[in-house]
């Protein structure tokens, strides 16, 4: 939250890192389908991110997949702002895809109840 936020200028708002492209950072605490600047706020907000790696729970049961280093991942990401409402994302994906890093299918719901879906690819940068 911001103290004395009554007349806070736009550049000082909290701007969340939105993404509306096929490419994402793949970080557990990043957004996959959050619209740019739509949820920027000068008021109270909170965000929560959780991802779980299943340690090859399904892939170990499929003979050809056992030889890969792929892992299943699922996540939930939630944002609530006092003046812009709620935004939630659910993602299911595969990590350990070499230089690609990971691929996720994402479902998102905004504060009007509209659902969005998309595919994101997270590339590994560096070593």
């Amino acid at each position: 939250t911001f103290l004395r936020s009554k007349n806070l200028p736009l550049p000082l708002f909290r701007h969340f890192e939105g993404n509306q492209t096929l490419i994402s950072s793949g970080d557990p605490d990043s957004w996959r389908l959050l619209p740019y600047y739509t949820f920027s706020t000068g008021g109270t907000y909170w965000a929560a991110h959780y991802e779980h790696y299943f340690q090859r729970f399904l892939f170990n049961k499929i003979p050809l997949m056992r030889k890969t280093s792929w892992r299943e991942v699922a996540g939930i990401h939630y944002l609530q702002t006092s003046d812009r409402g709620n935004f939630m994302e659910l993602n299911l994906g595969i990590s350990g895809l070499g230089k690609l890093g990971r691929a996720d299918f994402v479902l998102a719901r905004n504060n009007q109840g509209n659902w969005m879906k998309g595919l994101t690819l997270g590339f590994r940068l560096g070593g």
Side-chain angles (χ1 to χ4, degrees):
T1 192
F2 294 95
L3 303 174
R4 299 182 190 188
S5 62
K6 201 171 233 182
N7 294 319
L8 196 63
L10 183 64
L12 297 181
F13 275 32
R14 172 59 166 105
H15 302 288
F16 302 95
E17 186 179 340
N19 185 28
Q20 293 177 295
T21 67
L22 178 66
I23 308 301
S24 78
S25 69
D27 292 334
D29 59 347
S30 67
W31 302 98
R32 273 73 175 166
L33 298 178
L34 182 70
Y36 303 116
Y37 302 109
T38 302
F39 288 87
S40 295
T41 184
T44 303
Y45 68 90
W46 70 274
H49 300 273
Y50 176 76
E51 286 195 348
H52 182 75
Y53 290 83
F54 288 95
Q55 304 301 329
R56 304 174 47 77
F57 177 74
L58 293 174
F59 292 152
N60 273 340
K61 293 167 180 49
I62 303 169
L64 292 177
M65 300 298 268
R66 286 185 200 148
K67 297 179 190 277
T68 69
S69 61
W70 298 359
R71 297 187 306 167
E72 308 88 347
V73 61
I76 184 168
H77 311 273
Y78 183 78
L79 173 64
Q80 191 277 328
T81 64
S82 60
D83 51 349
R84 306 283 186 213
N86 304 319
F87 184 82
M88 181 181 64
E89 292 180 343
L90 302 169
N91 64 290
L92 293 172
I94 301 170
S95 71
L97 299 175
K99 294 255 185 223
L100 175 59
R102 66 186 282 171
D104 287 290
F105 176 74
V106 186
L107 283 174
R109 186 170 190 260
N110 64 12
N111 54 347
Q112 288 90 24
N114 299 327
W115 287 92
M116 299 176 280
K117 62 182 180 257
L119 176 71
T120 61
L121 304 174
F123 290 91
R124 287 180 25 180
L125 301 175

